[in-house]
Amino acid sequence: GMDTEGTCVVVASLFEGPEEARDILTNQVEPIVSQFGPTFALSINLVARGKGKLDVAKELIEKSFAMWEKRRKEAEKLAKGKKSTTDVEMMITAERHRRFLSALKDSIQLSIVESAGSFDDAPLHEATISMKRLVMALSDRRTLAALVKSFVGAKRILQLEKETLGYLVEEAAKDELSLQDQGGAPSISTLEIELQSQIVAEYEVNVNGHVFHQLAETANNMMKGSRPESEWLRSSLASARSNKGEGSIIYADEISTFAESAIVEAPKKKKGGWQNDESFLSQILEAEGDRDAKVPDENSSWTDLLDLIDVLEAFGCLIPEDESRTSFRITNAGDSVGTLSAENALWLMVGLGGAWDVTGASSGYDDLTKALEAFDSADIGDGALSSESDSGSQAEAEGLISRLLNLNPSEMAGYVAGLTTEPRRNNADQSAAGCLRKMSAELSSAFQAVVAPAERFQEVQRAFLVEESASTTCRLELPPVEVVTKWAAGCSWEEALEISGSAPGDLARTLHRVLDTLRQIGTLSPDPLPEKGTEGEPRGVHPGIRLLCREAAKAIDRYPVKEPLLFDEDEEGDEDTKVEEDENAELTDEDEEGD
């Protein structure tokens, strides 16, 4: 409520005391800024409130504090004559990068034509095949995106392996000094260092043999000399670097940066009126001295909400009831998304196998996978990248459900932690491979099975131009999985603190977050029997998974995560018993249907 004096009451807890209360009361007061942003759960609930129509949703969005604040800021900017050009500058930079890659592709094609008389009829010598593969990589956006991902991943793995080697060498040196003083056996053997050196050498070969290294070497050779195409390439490179005078040698890392920039930023359809063609970007480059260019309205909460509705429709949570798409029916999966309070409720539903792409919006993921397969096989024949795509989204979801049902409650707790926990600074040093090695085979298999649905989820969001935010981020955070799994399995609080390396308050918040999510999943409404015409729709979280989540919640909910309140135990026990009876009856019905 509201009071006339502004009284503030700070309640102490196990992890916050007088010092934290003093900081809250005495720190500088930050200006009030709206944190409102549409989420998948809000989108479902607004559609439900409008009985399937979007009129109520639009009315409420327009009345939000965020829209009022946005209109006020726009009025202030207009009055002061200040107009942002950040997005224009990003597009200009991306277009410069794209033009260099295009110039490089044209130069390689010209080289093939000069040596063979025709690009298509060039003899299939090893050198020509290699050059054609480079042209193929630069010609296909999805192949280029996949190459960026593989190059960045390979570089990161190489860096981690080098750090491991450095650690082993450092520890071996310490052992040697210690042995000189005290004697004994070394903890790091020479064989371990040699094996790690071999691993580093193998990854160096992989990185140095990457297509981007081939492109960089080819570009450097073509920029030598005084031929017109050499001068053209040098000029394009200088422009891509914003004329910073860094010479005419390009490296694989820079090729990767150019490719990523060109793919992500340009040409990219902008909400609010940016055109999506090369002539528009050319006009920007020609007039880039004009810094009064009008930046389109990209922060409309209503537009963002419509984008989320498109994604929900793609994953079978909303079904349009007419061709105009002004009225929707909420499916059982959609109802579950609206019930969950997780930041990204739809991703949580996808990560549990309760929803999948039913419209084929993620077909780009299949195209990318097939493009990679074609590129790896060096198949440069006609149609190598144009085979028909048969989305396996539902099959991937069913495979994921099968693996989740093999988990025990403590492993399910760890899995949910991986889907919902926020990344922390002290997690940055833990590699995904290292985290997976610490898991059981069943839990590791479950996380590997969710990778493809995660890729599809991100592909659909990109297809519908969903802005990245906390409510749309597809999280897969592996470092907290171990401590949550061990805590649910019964380890002590001291052991959990040692495993996590976190402060007590941070660990408690992580466990509370996972506990709350598990409870929500466990109490989702049972999915009804499919009605006629709805057999292919996602039906939400499998009852067996909901049962596992309830058992996992019970395992986590112990001191100090749960403060002992003895008078609550009987009531909670009665409620859990009733839910389990309903769930067991539902599982029995499914078994009878299968028979």
Side-chain angles (χ1 to χ4, degrees):
M2 300 179 65
D3 58 63
T4 57
E5 297 180 357
T7 303
C8 177
V9 179
V10 181
V11 181
S13 72
L14 289 173
F15 310 108
E16 286 84 19
E19 292 184 359
E20 287 75 15
R22 180 198 61 200
D23 293 340
I24 292 173
L25 294 173
T26 59
N27 283 349
Q28 182 179 357
V29 178
E30 298 292 334
I32 298 176
V33 178
S34 172
Q35 299 298 316
F36 173 79
T39 64
F40 288 112
L42 176 65
S43 303
I44 290 287
N45 291 322
L46 288 177
V47 171
R49 187 166 180 176
K51 297 182 179 179
K53 297 188 179 296
L54 302 181
D55 299 344
V56 173
K58 187 172 185 179
E59 182 181 354
L60 291 175
I61 291 291
E62 292 296 335
K63 289 181 179 179
S64 69
F65 175 66
M67 291 299 291
W68 175 84
E69 184 183 32
K70 176 176 174 295
R71 286 191 288 267
R72 178 180 62 81
K73 288 182 178 179
E74 286 177 347
E76 290 177 356
K77 284 184 180 180
L78 188 61
K80 295 179 181 179
K82 294 181 179 179
K83 299 176 182 178
S84 171
T85 59
T86 302
D87 296 310
V88 176
E89 291 169 354
M90 290 174 64
M91 292 178 70
I92 290 172
T93 301
E95 175 62 9
R96 286 170 171 165
H97 294 167
R98 188 194 67 79
R99 288 187 175 189
F100 171 76
L101 295 177
S102 178
L104 178 57
K105 181 191 73 173
D106 292 343
S107 297
I108 295 174
Q109 286 181 318
L110 181 61
S111 174
I112 295 174
V113 170
E114 287 180 346
S115 61
S118 169
F119 181 82
D120 295 328
D121 298 332
L124 296 181
H125 299 309
E126 183 177 352
T128 306
I129 292 176
S130 177
M131 298 286 272
K132 281 195 170 186
R133 292 181 68 198
L134 296 181
V135 172
M136 181 188 299
L138 292 169
S139 301
D140 186 78
R141 180 178 177 273
R142 299 194 183 280
T143 302
L144 201 59
L147 290 172
V148 170
K149 187 174 181 179
S150 65
F151 180 76
V152 173
K155 290 274 291 185
R156 288 176 180 172
I157 294 174
L158 175 59
Q159 181 61 31
L160 290 172
E161 297 297 345
K162 283 184 175 179
E163 290 174 0
T164 302
L165 177 59
Y167 170 78
L168 292 175
V169 172
E170 183 179 347
E171 290 298 310
K174 291 179 181 177
D175 279 352
E176 186 177 352
L177 293 174
S178 177
L179 291 174
Q180 291 175 359
D181 297 335
Q182 302 175 7
S187 59
I188 305 295
S189 68
T190 305
L191 179 60
E192 287 181 281
I193 296 177
E194 290 177 354
L195 290 175
Q196 186 62 30
S197 299
Q198 291 176 9
I199 293 174
V200 170
E202 289 174 2
Y203 279 112
E204 284 180 337
V205 170
N206 290 339
V207 171
N208 293 332
H210 195 274
V211 175
F212 285 164
H213 273 280
Q214 299 176 33
L215 281 170
E217 183 180 356
T218 302
N220 290 329
N221 290 332
M222 290 185 168
M223 284 189 288
K224 296 176 182 178
S226 58
R227 301 180 62 187
E229 54 267 29
S230 301
E231 181 61 34
W232 179 32
L233 266 182
R234 288 195 294 268
S235 175
S236 297
L237 179 59
S239 176
R241 291 170 168 170
S242 300
N243 297 303
K244 293 181 180 178
E246 299 177 8
S248 297
I249 297 178
I250 190 168
Y251 299 95
D253 295 87
E254 204 168 9
I255 293 282
S256 177
T257 300
F258 289 178
E260 184 175 11
S261 170
I263 291 166
V264 173
E265 294 296 337
K268 176 180 176 183
K269 184 179 180 181
K270 295 287 184 179
K271 302 170 191 173
W274 287 119
Q275 300 177 45
N276 185 27
D277 59 7
E278 187 174 347
S279 62
F280 173 65
L281 294 171
S282 299
Q283 292 170 22
I284 291 180
L285 282 173
E286 291 169 3
E288 64 178 297
D290 178 11
R291 293 308 183 195
D292 293 326
K294 182 178 180 180
V295 176
D297 177 7
E298 296 184 9
N299 297 315
S300 168
S301 298
W302 172 241
T303 304
D304 292 341
L305 182 72
L306 292 178
D307 292 339
L308 297 186
I309 287 175
D310 288 338
V311 176
L312 286 164
E313 181 184 342
F315 280 94
C317 297
L318 293 175
I319 304 296
E321 295 189 322
D322 51 43
E323 293 183 0
S324 62
R325 298 177 68 254
T326 57
S327 181
F328 294 87
R329 175 174 61 83
I330 301 175
T331 64
N332 190 69
D335 185 60
S336 296
V337 169
T339 302
L340 295 170
S341 63
E343 281 185 322
N344 192 338
L346 179 58
W347 161 235
L348 182 58
M349 186 62 51
V350 172
L352 293 170
W356 57 84
D357 176 18
V358 300
T359 64
S362 64
S363 59
Y365 172 76
D366 299 292
D367 295 340
L368 186 148
T369 303
K370 292 185 177 181
L372 274 178
E373 291 173 355
F375 193 84
D376 289 340
S377 64
D379 182 2
I380 60 171
D382 294 338
L385 299 176
S386 60
S387 56
E388 291 295 325
S389 170
D390 182 16
S391 173
S393 182
Q394 184 173 357
E396 291 166 358
E398 291 171 352
L400 174 60
I401 291 172
S402 176
R403 298 191 189 189
L404 292 179
L405 292 175
N406 289 330
L407 302 180
N408 60 41
S410 63
E411 291 169 339
M412 177 57 72
Y415 180 78
V416 171
L419 299 184
T420 59
T421 307
E422 293 181 352
R424 297 189 181 278
R425 285 191 296 268
N426 62 339
N427 294 340
D429 297 332
Q430 302 185 47
S431 67
C435 293
L436 287 171
R437 282 195 292 268
K438 297 176 183 178
M439 301 178 193
S440 65
E442 291 79 12
L443 185 53
S444 175
S445 176
F447 275 113
Q448 292 175 46
V450 80
V451 171
E455 294 279 3
R456 288 187 185 278
F457 184 80
Q458 292 175 313
E459 176 68 22
V460 173
Q461 291 201 128
R462 284 192 294 267
F464 291 112
L465 302 176
V466 173
E467 299 290 339
E468 185 173 353
S469 66
S471 62
T472 59
T473 298
C474 176
R475 285 202 181 103
L476 205 57
E477 193 69 13
L478 299 184
V481 173
E482 181 187 11
V483 66
V484 173
T485 303
K486 294 288 180 63
W487 176 255
C491 78
S492 68
W493 182 249
E494 290 73 21
E495 290 172 333
L497 287 173
E498 183 178 353
I499 293 169
S500 68
S502 303
D506 291 337
L507 177 57
R509 276 186 286 272
T510 296
L511 292 172
H512 273 294
R513 185 189 189 102
V514 176
L515 173 60
D516 182 54
T517 304
L518 287 168
R519 283 173 169 168
Q520 291 180 49
I521 299 169
T523 56
L524 288 173
S525 301
D527 51 315
L529 293 175
E531 300 177 3
K532 186 177 181 180
T534 66
E535 292 83 358
E537 294 177 4
R539 296 175 60 186
V541 180
H542 189 280
I545 295 176
R546 294 202 297 271
L547 183 59
L548 279 171
C549 287
R550 284 199 298 278
E551 294 174 354
K554 290 179 185 178
I556 287 181
D557 195 16
R558 56 191 176 92
Y559 183 82
V561 176
K562 174 185 179 181
E563 296 185 17
L565 297 173
L566 298 179
F567 55 86
D568 283 343
E569 290 183 358
D570 293 339
E571 295 180 8
E572 290 182 3
D574 293 341
E575 182 180 351
D576 288 341
T577 301
K578 183 179 183 304
V579 173
E580 286 184 10
E581 289 175 354
D582 294 341
E583 202 71 78
N584 289 333
E586 184 183 352
L587 285 168
T588 303
D589 291 341
E590 286 200 356
D591 291 339
E592 291 176 355
E593 287 178 24
D595 295 339

